[in-house]
Amino acid sequence: MNISDAWGNVLLGIGWFVLIYMILVISFYTILLVISMFQLRKSYQLDDWEPYEELLHLSQTKPVSILVPAYNESVGIMATVRSLLSIEYPEYEVIIVNDGSTDDSLEKLIETFQLVKIKWVIRQQLETQPVKAVYQSKLYKNLLVVDKENGGKADALNAGINVSNFPYFCSIDGDSVLERSAFLKVMKPIIESDGDVIASGGSIRIANGCDIESGEIVKIGLSRSPLVVMQVIEYLRAFLMGRIGLSRHNLLLIVSGAFGVFSKSWVIRAGGYAHTVGEDMELVVRLHRFVKEEKADKQIVYVPDPVSWTEAPESMKYLRRQRSRWHRGLFESLWIHKKLLFNPKYGSIGMVSMPYFLIIEFLGPVVELTGYLIMIVSLLFGGVYLEFAILLFLLSIFYGSILSMSAVLLEEWTIRKYPKASDITKLFFYSLTETLWYRPLTVLWRCEGIIDFLRKKRGWGEMARKGVSK
């Protein structure tokens, strides 16, 4: 089969663009990998508990309000609350915000923790939907439950901020389980910086396959589902490679909504959470923007070791919705704050971080999808195009599988959350298959997110929960 010279030139032209783009992206990620390796080895010692244990007794350790927005989280909310009530930290309060749930979340909480209605003066620092009642546990005086009309996750978090007592707050998803020492670790940079660090985020790991009893991880393991195992690898790559490298130079634009600590005064001054799909990223970008405009020297950091375990989607249907929504949220945050893009007024955030998230994180799936299409067309026409298709395929393996494999090795080299050698071996070999099936799927779903944004699709979409706790 022959192809006309004109179409051949177009095909090769687009192919060379994809090729050069992938080489540049691989180079950038390789730099992040090297930075992450040195940073992790510098941070971790054989016994890392001792320096954190000291924080339990220091007078300057800041009290924290833990906010848990909950909408129809009946399946996982009890494990989350139990894990939060057992954390190692000197002074904290847990505030569950029931955002108009239609299931039995509130009833379960009232019965299990013996909640009673109390009179509570709410400082309306951020505008929210009306609060119907505030409850306090008779068993745990630091446990509060806010019952309010439905307004979405951002609205629930803003209501929690209004109710909270302490200068720092942490946002936790309603299906998350924290390790006991997680708060000491995520608060350490805030305490040591004496206010210069205004936000700190920990790692998110997949709880599917782990044994969780009474809100505590008792055994770390892997799910039998290939789809979940690939998500484990994806999380390792995103957190251990991407966020460590960006955080090292104060370029971090995402603190996960599933586990992040913020200075309450700075968040209120910046306007609180906005009603967007990606409210966690949008807040962090707005904080960076606000800090630059105020000419303040503040940092937003990522700490790899403190871990929050969360339930991952086990079906294609719900994973597709999640990834599409995440990409829609990414674009929304970039679009709202497009003023920062390539703007020297905002320093490295405007000149490095925003372009990175636009060119690599947002546009990456579009370029990758183009590359897959070029490979298919090149295979059909053979000749020189076949050699080009092979070259693109080898690069895509490095871009996907090899970098993911490096993240797995980085996990084993430093943090070692997975104690069984068989689990690490499984992660290693699964990562080699990423380019063959999992990455093309996520590329398609993320491209769908762009289309959904252009169609002005709103909302999160339904997400089914099985629960990860016994």
Side-chain angles (χ1 to χ4, degrees), residues 189-204:
I190 291 176
I191 296 165
E192 292 179 341
S193 74
D194 195 26
D196 286 342
V197 174
I198 60 172
S200 174
S203 292
I204 310 300

Side-chain angles (χ1 to χ4, degrees), residues 200-202 239 243 246 251-257 262 280-282 284-285 288 300-302 326 330 333 353 356-357 361:
S200 174
F239 283 92
R243 298 196 186 184
L246 294 171
L251 296 171
L252 194 64
L253 293 190
I254 298 178
V255 171
S256 176
F262 296 86
D280 46 1
M281 179 180 180
E282 194 282 328
V284 174
V285 178
H288 274 298
I300 295 173
V301 303
Y302 164 67
W326 283 0
L330 168 63
S333 297
S353 198
Y356 160 75
F357 276 92
E361 294 294 337

Side-chain angles (χ1 to χ4, degrees), residues 5 111 141 148 184 186 194 216 261 331 380 417:
D5 291 340
E111 180 181 352
K141 296 302 180 184
K148 61 178 288 292
L184 290 174
V186 81
D194 195 26
E216 187 171 352
V261 176
F331 191 22
L380 292 175
K417 289 293 180 184

Side-chain angles (χ1 to χ4, degrees), residues 144-162:
L144 298 173
V145 175
V146 178
D147 186 28
K148 61 178 288 292
E149 293 182 9
N150 181 260
K153 185 177 180 181
D155 195 79
L157 287 167
N158 287 337
I161 292 171
N162 288 339

